[in-house]
Amino acid sequence: MEKLQVKEKEADVLLQKNSYLVGEVRYLTDAVQHLNQRAAELEADRQQAREKIRSLLNRRVPAVPPAKTVAKPSPDPAQLLQLGRLTRALNVSSKKLRATVQQALADMRKQLEQLKGSVGELARVEREGAAEVEELRSLYRREAAERKSLHNKVLELQGNIRVFCRCRRSDRASSCLETAGDQEVVLVQKGSKKKFQFDKVFTPSSSQEEVFSGMLPVITSCVDGYNVCVLAYGQTGSGKTYTMMGSKENPGVNISEKSRLMSMLEIYNETLKDLLTKSPNASLDIRVQGKSVAVPGLTQVQVQTEADILGVMEMGERNRKIASTKMNTQSSRSHLLVALEVEISDSVSGLTTRGTLTLCDLAGSERISKTEAEGQRLVEAAAINKSLTALGQVFGALKCNALHIPFRNSKLTHLLQPCLSGDAKCCVFVNVSPDVKDVVETLSTLQFGSTIRQVSLGRAAQNIGPARGGKTAK
């Protein structure tokens, strides 16, 4: 930074000097024009004087008859005196003009020499500036690499799983939640208060932009070449889908990132459904290859702009299973997983980073006694609660550093295995309702969030390398 400031000062000095020289050139140009005008005036005076001399010389005494002898006329003294004055004036003007022109030419030669020196100096400075620019580019590349390294170290010190709490808006006057700062929420239940700490607490008045800004460090990790997983957990109707998907006017997390490929699937009654395929009844299976988990046949759509992502999301949302329950008129009856492959190229460093952003909108946890679900809704609720229980068991095993992590207890945890086994950075939104009638579900959600906040997944691998065709560095 000091070198850059020095170079900026040198550039300012050169610009001031250049401005001075430009002013001098303008002054000399005006002087030359004035001299040319004066020379033209003197030349006109000279021509006028010559005409007067010629007129005087051409004057003759009238001719006399040759027979008569007359004496030669003597010159008119007055005419001779006038002729002398004109001649002297012409000589003086000529000398002044010659001296003025010579002085102007000498000044111009001097200024031209100065301009040549300045041009040479500017050329030298330009060459040095090009070398300095290249040095600054190198410093920028090193600084950018150091910034990314420090940023990811900070996240690792904070824990790879970051837990945010978001309170849903409510029109009711009574509330079971109180906020104490931006990292603490207090649950009020039967006169007692219980505090819960999170990485960030978003109040009911928080906007979608504020929520995205809060999780921007995690998203930045994806841009830096890390796989990132974002989950939304909470009871039905607590605002999970709004946080993740948003609306056209207030987009959620899903469309706030540049991407290359996009896929959407839902887990409905422990069955995988491709939400972007034209054959919605086609069955999908999970295939494990080493540490990676894949879904063969899952549709991937090329996306480049926000409009592309919006179109894909709208198509996937139309195909998602929703139904009305006593607690939520538009209750998601399935877990939604959206995967966005992100690729960012740095034109300065020449490196390309690739990461996958996995966004999971979990179906809401339900108590059958409150939802009064029957028939198909009851089957759906049982499948949702079973998979959420399996997710809680996975987080519990990770917290205790257990030798065996039960990822295969459900399709949900099986698909999330790469994200929760140290290959990605993880962020969890626990969405809660401030309504007093939902205090039991809110307490359960806050306890779930407090548990997973103590989970450390270990260091994730970075996917970074040169442009396509080169070798990828880990």
Side-chain angles (χ1 to χ4, degrees), residues 3 24 35 50 59 67 136 154 194 207 225 265 297 392 450 462:
K3 288 187 176 180
E24 288 294 320
L35 290 173
R50 285 181 176 178
R59 289 184 180 180
L136 290 174
V154 169
K194 189 172 183 179
S207 64
L265 66 82
S450 297
Q462 185 181 23

Side-chain angles (χ1 to χ4, degrees), residues 17 21 111-123:
K17 188 173 181 180
L21 292 175
Q111 293 295 332
L112 286 175
E113 291 297 326
Q114 292 181 356
L115 286 174
K116 287 181 181 179
S118 298
V119 169
E121 180 69 14
L122 288 174

Side-chain angles (χ1 to χ4, degrees), residues 91-147:
N91 291 332
V92 170
S93 298
S94 178
K95 290 179 180 179
K96 287 183 178 180
L97 177 62
R98 186 179 298 106
T100 302
V101 171
Q102 289 176 350
Q103 182 63 37
L105 291 175
D107 291 340
M108 291 183 67
R109 283 193 293 268
K110 182 178 179 181
Q111 293 295 332
L112 286 175
E113 291 297 326
Q114 292 181 356
L115 286 174
K116 287 181 181 179
S118 298
V119 169
E121 180 69 14
L122 288 174
R124 183 187 65 80
V125 171
E126 184 178 359
R127 290 192 297 270
E128 292 180 355
E132 290 292 335
V133 167
E134 184 59 33
E135 183 180 356
L136 290 174
R137 286 178 181 271
S138 177
L139 290 174
Y140 164 78
R141 286 191 288 266
R142 289 201 297 267
E143 188 276 335
E146 183 178 359
R147 180 196 63 81

Side-chain angles (χ1 to χ4, degrees), residues 205-403:
S205 61
S206 297
S207 64
Q208 294 287 74
E209 291 79 9
E210 291 173 329
V211 172
F212 180 76
S213 177
M215 65 172 299
L216 186 60
V218 181
I219 298 297
T220 303
S221 294
C222 184
V223 174
D224 289 345
Y226 291 89
N227 295 329
V228 173
C229 177
V230 182
L231 297 93
Y233 177 92
Q235 75 176 84
T236 182
S238 61
K240 301 180 302 301
T241 301
Y242 180 72
T243 296
M244 301 299 286
M245 309 299 289
S247 61
K248 288 184 177 180
E249 295 77 17
N250 296 292
V253 174
N254 287 6
I255 65 169
S256 302
E257 182 55 51
K258 297 179 180 179
S259 58
R260 198 165 53 85
L261 291 174
M262 181 175 180
S263 62
M264 295 179 68
L265 66 82
E266 70 173 352
I267 305 174
Y268 176 71
N269 289 346
E270 284 298 293
T271 303
L272 304 185
K273 299 289 185 180
D274 189 345
L275 297 179
L276 303 180
T277 185
K278 296 181 180 179
S279 304
N281 295 323
S283 60
L284 296 174
D285 295 319
I286 299 175
R287 181 173 298 175
V288 179
Q289 295 178 343
K291 293 184 179 181
S292 64
V293 175
V295 181
L298 180 63
T299 303
Q300 288 187 307
V301 179
Q302 187 84 19
V303 287
Q304 296 292 342
T305 64
E306 184 175 306
D308 295 340
I309 300 176
L310 276 172
V312 173
M313 284 172 49
E314 289 178 358
M315 179 171 62
E317 281 290 292
R318 286 195 300 268
N319 296 329
R320 189 180 182 187
K321 301 288 184 184
I322 60 171
S324 176
T325 67
K326 189 174 180 179
M327 294 185 66
N328 189 2
T329 56
Q330 287 190 324
S331 175
S332 301
R333 311 310 295 166
S334 64
H335 305 301
L336 173 67
L337 274 79
V338 180
L340 299 99
E341 293 185 9
V342 180
E343 182 174 303
I344 303 293
S345 296
D346 191 332
S347 59
V348 176
S349 64
L351 296 177
T352 298
T353 58
R354 301 178 183 89
T356 299
L357 181 62
T358 302
L359 304 148
C360 184
D361 177 20
L362 299 171
S365 58
E366 298 180 359
R367 284 196 298 161
I368 307 302
S369 59
K370 290 192 69 173
T371 60
E372 298 181 2
E374 297 179 351
Q376 186 61 25
R377 302 290 87 79
L378 182 61
V379 174
E380 295 167 352
I384 291 170
N385 290 337
K386 180 182 177 182
S387 58
L388 292 176
T389 299
L391 181 62
Q393 292 171 347
V394 166
F395 280 122
L398 289 171
K399 177 185 175 183
C400 299
N401 293 320
L403 295 178

